[in-house]
């Protein structure tokens, strides 16, 4: 039971971080659109990395850079949670293993070719 609750907490946290990441991306795009800059993901990424772009005023660049830092931190945390999630599903679960045995036994009993 505790293992299942832990897995759910892990999934919910990861989903929350993904929603926050999407919100940050949308916020960056909205800020850039205010200055007439829009486009593909790669151009937005380059703009975040380029602190000397004259199309965006300095104050806005600072805000976009701060959002970029937050975005990268969330991305790192999402990947870390994904790694934990994979490990959690690999751990032995007694209830799941018992259920597999029961299902396997039922399938053997229901299969006429299993009997000589």
């Amino acid at each position: 039971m505790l293992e299942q609750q832990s897995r759910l907490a892990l999934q919910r946290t990861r989903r929350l971080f993904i929603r926050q990441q999407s919100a940050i991306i949308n916020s960056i795009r909205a800020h850039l659109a205010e200055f007439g800059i829009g486009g593909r993901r790669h151009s937005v990424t380059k703009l975040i990395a380029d602190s000397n772009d004259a199309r965006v005023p300095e104050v806005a660049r600072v805000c976009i850079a701060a959002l970029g830092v937050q975005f990268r931190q969330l991305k790192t945390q999402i990947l870390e949670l994904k790694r934990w999630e994979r490990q959690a599903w690999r751990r032995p679960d007694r209830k799941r293993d018992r259920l597999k045995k029961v299902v396997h036994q039922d399938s053997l009993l229901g299969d006429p070719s299993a009997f000589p």
Side-chain angles (χ1 to χ4, degrees):
M1 182 72 162
L2 292 176
E3 280 293 317
Q4 290 173 343
Q5 290 172 330
S6 297
R7 289 177 188 159
L8 285 174
L10 190 59
Q11 289 174 345
R12 288 180 185 141
T13 304
R14 187 168 164 261
R15 273 190 256 142
L16 172 66
F17 285 173
I18 290 170
R19 285 194 309 268
Q20 289 175 345
Q21 186 180 33
S22 297
I24 288 172
I25 291 169
N26 291 335
S27 180
I28 290 171
R29 286 187 178 144
H31 290 323
L32 293 174
E34 290 177 10
F35 299 105
I37 302 169
R40 299 188 186 121
R41 184 172 121 194
H42 300 293
S43 62
V44 172
T45 306
K46 285 181 184 178
L47 186 65
I48 292 170
D50 184 12
S51 60
N52 297 322
D53 194 321
R55 297 178 293 171
V56 181
E58 184 179 5
V59 174
R61 271 188 303 209
V62 169
C63 294
I64 291 169
L67 290 169
V69 168
Q70 187 70 30
F71 174 80
R72 286 187 287 280
Q73 287 175 345
L74 279 170
K75 189 172 186 172
T76 302
Q77 289 175 323
I78 290 168
L79 291 173
E80 181 69 16
L81 288 175
K82 189 174 186 176
R83 186 181 65 80
W84 273 98
E85 199 171 5
R86 283 192 207 123
Q87 286 180 357
W89 285 109
R90 286 187 195 142
R91 288 188 192 134
D93 184 352
R94 282 183 241 139
K95 286 184 181 178
R96 183 179 62 209
D97 292 341
R98 274 187 282 156
L99 182 61
K100 281 183 183 178
K101 286 179 184 176
V102 169
V103 169
H104 180 69
Q105 288 170 357
D106 285 346
S107 65
L108 288 178
L109 292 176
D111 184 12
S113 65
F115 298 100

